[in-house]
Amino acid sequence: MTPYSSTLSSVLKDESRMEGKALWVSQPQSVGELLDSLKEAAEKGIDITVQGSRTGLAGGAVPAGGLALGLSKLKKSMEIKDGLLLASASVALGEAKVYLKRQRLVFAADPSEDEATLGGLFATGARGLKTEPFGRQVQELLWALPTGETLLARRGEACFDSTGIRIFNQSIKCPVPVKSRFPGVPFQGQDLIDFLSGSDGRLGIALNIKVKTFPKPKNSWAIAFFLKSEAQALSFAEAASDASREFLKALWIFDQNALSLLSKSRASLSGLKDIPEFPSDSDSAALAWLEGDDEEGIELAMSGLLDLFSESGGSESDTWAAEGIEAEKIAPLKHLAEEAANMELDKARLTSNAIRLSIENSYGSPIKAFRDLGESLVQGYRILSVLDGRIHARLFALQDPGKLVLGYALRALAEGGFFASDYGLGKAKRDMAIDLASPQEKECLMAIQQAFDPASSMSNRFFRAAL
Amino acid sequence: MRIVVCVKQVPSMSAQMDPETGLLFRASAESAMNPLDFCAVEAGMQILKRHGGELIALSMGPQSAQETLRLAMALGAGRAILLSDKAFAGADAYVTAFTLSQAIKAIGNVDLVVCGLNTTDGDTAQVPFSLAAQLGWPSFGWVKLIELEPLAFVQEQTGTEARAEARLPMVIAVGRISPPRIPTLGAKLAAKRKPLEVWGLNDLPEKSPEFYGLRASPTRVKKIYATKRERKVLPLELGLNETVKILKGELSDPKAFIEPVIATPTQLPDWNGQAKSGSVLACLQADHRGLCLVSKEMASLLISLSQGRFETHGVFIGSDLPKPLEDELLALGLDCVHVCLDNDFKIFDARPFSEAALACVKALNPAVVLAGATPEGRALAPALAAHLRTGVTADCTGLSLSDNGELLQIRPAFGGDIMAQILTPQARPQIATVRLGAFSALESAKRSRTKIKRFQAPHSQVLPLQTLGHFEDEPAKDLVIAIGGGLRDKAAISLFEKLAEKANASLMCSRCLVERGWFDQSRQIGLSGRSVSPKLLVTFGISGSAQFLSGIKGAKRLVSINLDKDAPILDFADVPLVGDMREIAERCLEM
Ligand SMILES: Cc1cc2nc3c(=O)[nH]c(=O)nc-3n(C[C@H](O)[C@H](O)[C@H](O)COP(=O)(O)OP(=O)(O)OC[C@H]3O[C@@H](n4cnc5c(N)ncnc54)[C@H](O)[C@@H]3O)c2cc1C
Ligand SMILES: Cc1cc2nc3c(=O)[nH]c(=O)nc-3n(C[C@H](O)[C@H](O)[C@H](O)COP(=O)(O)OP(=O)(O)OC[C@H]3O[C@@H](n4cnc5c(N)ncnc54)[C@H](O)[C@@H]3O)c2cc1C
């Protein structure tokens, strides 16, 4: 642990563009050093903010005073055994992907920020284009508790029931709901590993993970469908998501603002350099990802999609299709929208949390939620993952987007929706989550935090103060 | 109009290197269509749409290259031909171009051949120009814009932009034109079922296997090795004051520059020091500003390669020889410069220029011919080589010449990730293009000795060419300051602008700052930006991706400042400094 100095100012920020404060900085190189830092901080009552590569979009890695504990220098290791990748949490996603690629393997989940650490992806509950969360594939986890002790969790060994969970030889008692509306609140039957994924560095630190890998599918396709209206795009999406479930692994809708943001960023985002102009007068777009080993089956599914597209009013000439390695040109459109949004913020020097929020919400029919959000958003954009109802939205230059989103979230929760875990709650969404939590949910949060982090060194900055 | 588009299947870059060992792992690399060949298809499609006719995609490669051809069909090609035969394997650029030329003859009545400018694997950029020369057609390379009516092309060359009206049949080589189209879903699905022709040796007019493949190839790859990452100095964690002191010393004391190791003559000790055993020749180039720097670099290179064992010659082709340019030629220190002046040679045109160079080469019979790896040199050399049935090693960064005139040529490939040693064992002369800034231009002490001899050369008609304008491509200064992602705050750019101004340096950046929209692409260093070869490069907050590093290979000295002492760039830097870029720059300006 060294005292913070301005030479280290980069540790104060992450990709949410929020800025925090730190008194101490530590960048341990070994697990031993890391555990020592944890113990020292707990003894001295110093708050800890865990940091991976600080690429998070919700501000979870932004320190709030205390210690900024960076994991990126931790010794990295990777090994594949029986189809499982055993990796240290400090390994960057890009490094892991290259390592897997060499053996023609892939993760089932496909988060897209290559600089992010595996630990950070796990902790934020990250997902990518496809619906699968990264954490769901983790089979084994070596976890450092805020006290400096470690815990080995294996999938299937510990689950929540209605009264809590039994771990480290003690029972954590709390009224576990049947369904969880926030990451941080467990639900009945939830595996401990899934619960810890999405805990945002509040309950400890992922040190090593064992995660499933899969042979790269023989065929993969990315297809963009451009439509003249949002109504057409939504009707196509609704039909498509019902139709080709076997191969369709992702289906996203981009609203008009998302498309124009991408168009506008063409000159400055290198990922867009090889992408032609969107077909003229397209108002919305759907981006589909299909994969599988059965070539004929996929081709059939795609012909089916094309028919549905025409029925929804689309014209064949307004499609883009790319296969295999070429598909990697189109698939990042979703990731690029996030990057474009960040660039937009930088250009306008909008760094305050109040003007930018990401929400992930789904309720009832995702299409309905998407429409509702469209009605209430004046400036900003929406993209929607149709298959699992995740909506990503960015709000720009609004007076009080927080209020707007809160209003929307209330409505979503009232209709049975929940905060999807990807991106984590971070700081951007935590206050809203706490405001919206029921007494039962708060009781759960408290009990679990008390058990994992009795000294409140990792969670203090987070929920505790607010609860 | 019958248009042939040449497309090559290349290994996709993303799977090239093992980040730990730095070795290539080809087996797992997926294949893809060469990126610029998408632009070639796009260009072909635009022309086809306006002028009508037929577009044929042509590729030489293994059976798996059918995928690439199917993609070309999905993009609009009506017909696709794969040249695949055991006899074709192992072809170098000259023989690849020969094989393609045979196919084009077999197709018949072709009006226009569109190629990509270069590939991402072999990256010689020679096939289009060699192909044109072997077909006896004009060529126009480095095309960045296509005018459809009348059909004309705009290219960017050293310091100029030129436009040529089409003179069919001809070959064009396109660079990045507007982002190429992406196939529609219907077209992709339909292309899967379209017939595709596979041609072998017997389908070509020249049926003798001795003209094809490795055995006919003048150049041979002797050895390939991964670019080594060798840590030069351990990162220096010195504290602010000491760091700033060192940096200021570097910025202000030019004597500290380390001259690069330049070309090496081999087997020199055995040489008896007497008779010259032949000659070596450089193709010299000038633009509106005078003699190009690469010409001076090549002259110095020839002098140090020959070490008195070979006569050193230059050839200059142009429309006139103003006195200042003549003085520059005389100052090169070569034994003789052959000058061919003709009104036709106002603007570079590969076909007639290569014919003029050919006349000089035939008269002189040199063991080695060098050209600059400029747009002009990279077009001239393969065209010249095609006339002489010899090979060209592209874009060399290292050369050595033995007593018997054998040239060992070293060049980067795969975007700089690997180096290849190349020999031209049989064919003569050995032709190479040399990378700008890879060798130093030395002041010559022998200026009075240089003779100038004039010659005339018969040549084909020139293309209807016109210069659209000169541009000062603002050559990077001797000192370049580059900043990267470590810069978190856009406002801090002004700090580095001030520092650059104070140190009389060019301010450039890495890709991420262009992506953030903070800098214009023209200031980007790296594979997708510019290569720089300053005497001193100081980087701030740049981690050193392979792409960035490939653009700074020519830098003579590298001082790098990074907060992260594990940043790869610190492994390469001559002076690796650990510290906060902003703080150091601030203090540097104060002092
Ligand atoms: C352009 C862009 C696009 C993105 N797109 C997506 C997307 O499509 N879907 C998606 O889900 N996410 C997306 N992300 C966000 C991505 O999930 C995060 O970047 C990533 O999860 C954070 O990893 P990191 O190592 O940078 O963690 P940090 O940002 O450093 O930390 C994130 C949180 O995790 C905690 N943490 C970090 N490491 C550990 C650890 N080892 N143990 C416990 N806690 C830890 C931190 O305390 C913090 O709360 C995107 C990000 C960017 C910049
Ligand atoms: C490491 C390495 C170094 C090499 N160095 C040299 C060298 O210095 N000199 C040399 O002569 N050879 C060299 N070769 C061999 C050379 O790469 C191959 O001979 C290749 O066929 C020549 O093409 P290129 O990739 O350089 O093409 P380029 O000349 O860069 O290609 C330009 C365009 O020509 C067309 N084209 C090229 N190849 C084909 C094809 N097979 N089918 C259809 N169209 C095509 C495409 O439109 C392409 O965009 C080297 C090979 C390797 C692996």
Side-chain angles (χ1 to χ4, degrees), chain A residues 62 139 161 195 269 284 346 354:
Chain A
V62 175
Q139 302 300 304
D161 61 25
F195 172 71
L269 263 181
S284 304
D346 289 337

Side-chain angles (χ1 to χ4, degrees), chain B residues 125-383:
Chain B
Q126 290 171 13
V127 169
F129 306 102
S130 182
L131 175 60
Q134 296 189 56
L135 288 166
W137 295 0
S139 66
F140 200 64
W142 310 84
V143 171
K144 63 169 204 179
L145 199 89
I146 294 175
E147 296 172 11
L148 295 172
E149 197 64 66
L151 188 57
F153 313 106
V154 176
Q155 66 175 188
E156 201 174 291
Q157 304 231 319
T158 309
T160 57
E161 217 173 60
R163 175 180 179 277
E165 268 179 38
R167 278 289 170 272
L168 304 180
M170 72 184 295
V171 178
I172 61 168
V174 302
R176 275 202 178 279
I177 55 170
S178 52
R181 69 196 60 202
I182 295 173
T184 66
L185 180 52
K188 266 301 278 189
L189 292 173
K192 299 223 163 245
R193 311 200 198 309
K194 281 194 186 160
L196 190 151
E197 298 163 54
V198 181
W199 290 7
L201 187 60
N202 286 326
D203 298 299
L204 301 182
E206 176 56 72
K207 297 193 177 7
S208 168
E210 74 205 48
F211 289 98
Y212 297 94
L214 183 66
R215 78 160 105 170
S217 293
T219 62
R220 291 293 155 92
V221 178
K222 189 180 162 218
K223 196 172 140 189
I224 283 183
Y225 49 96
T227 334
K228 255 200 222 139
R229 266 184 65 173
E230 252 172 36
R231 190 182 276 277
K232 291 182 180 165
V233 188
L234 282 178
L236 306 167
E237 294 178 89
L238 300 170
L240 185 59
N241 284 343
E242 193 56 21
T243 304
V244 169
K245 215 165 104 193
I246 291 187
L247 180 62
K248 290 204 75 151
E250 290 284 342
L251 288 172
S252 61
D253 181 10
K255 282 193 294 294
F257 298 144
I258 296 173
E259 286 300 342
V261 186
I262 90 155
T264 45
T266 49
Q267 298 162 22
L268 207 53
D270 298 336
W271 180 52
N272 59 19
Q274 296 298 311
K276 294 187 175 175
S277 55
S279 61
V280 287
L281 174 71
C283 302
L284 306 171
Q285 178 185 349
D287 64 14
H288 63 287
R289 295 163 289 201
L291 196 63
C292 295
L293 180 60
V294 70
S295 298
K296 298 175 191 169
E297 291 167 354
M298 277 191 295
S300 301
L301 174 61
L302 281 188
I303 292 166
S304 53
L305 274 178
S306 75
Q307 294 284 305
R309 300 171 298 173
F310 301 86
E311 282 179 16
T312 54
H313 292 255
V315 57
F316 174 77
I317 300 159
S319 57
D320 64 347
L321 187 64
K323 183 78 176 77
L325 183 57
E326 184 174 350
D327 289 343
E328 284 189 294
L329 292 180
L330 289 171
L332 288 174
L334 296 170
D335 292 325
C336 181
V337 174
H338 306 262
V339 174
C340 179
L341 298 182
D342 190 309
N343 252 338
D344 279 352
F345 295 150
K346 277 201 168 72
I347 304 176
F348 176 79
D349 182 349
R351 181 163 66 157
F353 272 59
S354 66
E355 286 160 353
L358 179 67
C360 178
V361 170
K362 278 193 169 155
L364 202 63
N365 202 15
V368 171
V369 177
L370 300 183
T374 56
E376 295 84 352
R378 290 186 82 165
L380 176 81

Side-chain angles (χ1 to χ4, degrees), chain B residues 43-79:
Chain B
M45 286 303 295
Q46 286 180 16
I47 297 168
L48 184 75
K49 200 169 157 208
R50 184 56 163 264
H51 295 274
E54 177 188 20
L55 192 131
I56 303 167
L58 175 65
S59 186
M60 180 181 90
Q63 289 294 334
S64 62
Q66 289 198 17
E67 285 301 310
T68 293
L69 284 169
R70 293 217 177 273
L71 181 51
M73 285 199 281
L75 287 163
R79 190 179 158 195

Side-chain angles (χ1 to χ4, degrees), chain A residues 6-10 13 15 29 54 73 78 98-99 101-102 104 216 221 223 225 266-271 273-276 295 299 302-303 305-306 316-317 319-326 328-330 339 343 346-347 349, chain B residues 12 14-15 17-21 25 27-33 38 67 71 176 179-189 192-193 240 486 488-491 511 514-518 521 528 563-566 579-580 583:
Chain A
S6 61
T7 56
L8 301 166
S9 61
S10 56
K13 287 188 190 174
E15 285 290 316
Q29 307 205 348
R54 295 192 312 272
K73 300 266 166 74
M78 276 187 279
V98 170
Y99 185 73
K101 196 164 195 168
R102 209 164 61 181
R104 292 198 169 268
K216 192 170 171 10
W221 286 75
I223 311 165
F225 299 89
R266 183 177 302 283
S268 28
L269 263 181
S270 69
K273 226 173 43 200
D274 289 327
I275 296 195
E295 188 174 356
E299 284 174 23
M302 286 188 301
S303 302
L305 284 182
L306 199 51
E316 194 275 328
S317 59
T319 59
W320 292 349
E323 185 186 3
I325 193 113
E326 287 306 311
E328 289 166 24
K329 266 188 204 164
I330 310 180
E339 277 192 27
M343 260 174 41
D346 289 337
K347 263 190 223 153
R349 300 223 190 132
Chain B
S12 78
S14 52
M17 302 290 295
D18 182 327
E20 282 155 31
T21 62
F25 36 91
S28 66
E30 284 175 86
S31 298
M33 187 196 282
F38 280 93
E67 285 301 310
L71 181 51
R176 275 202 178 279
R181 69 196 60 202
I182 295 173
T184 66
L185 180 52
K188 266 301 278 189
L189 292 173
K192 299 223 163 245
R193 311 200 198 309
L240 185 59
R488 291 265 157 183
D489 177 8
K490 188 177 175 188
R511 198 179 80 173
V514 176
E515 281 178 0
R516 285 187 207 162
W518 294 359
Q521 176 135 36
S528 49
L563 201 53
D564 177 1
K565 70 176 188 313
D566 296 325
D580 180 73
E583 211 174 55

Side-chain angles (χ1 to χ4, degrees), chain B residues 6-8 26 34 37 58-60 91-94 96 100 115-119 121-128 219 221 224 392-394 411 413-414 418 420 422:
Chain B
C6 295
V7 294
K8 185 183 180 187
R26 277 267 193 150
N34 178 49
D37 297 351
L58 175 65
S59 186
M60 180 181 90
D92 71 356
Y94 168 73
T96 300
L100 295 173
C115 292
L117 181 59
N118 59 347
T119 62
D121 60 347
D123 186 18
T124 64
Q126 290 171 13
V127 169
T219 62
V221 178
I224 283 183
V392 180
T393 301
R411 61 163 302 222
F414 291 99
I418 66 161
I422 292 178

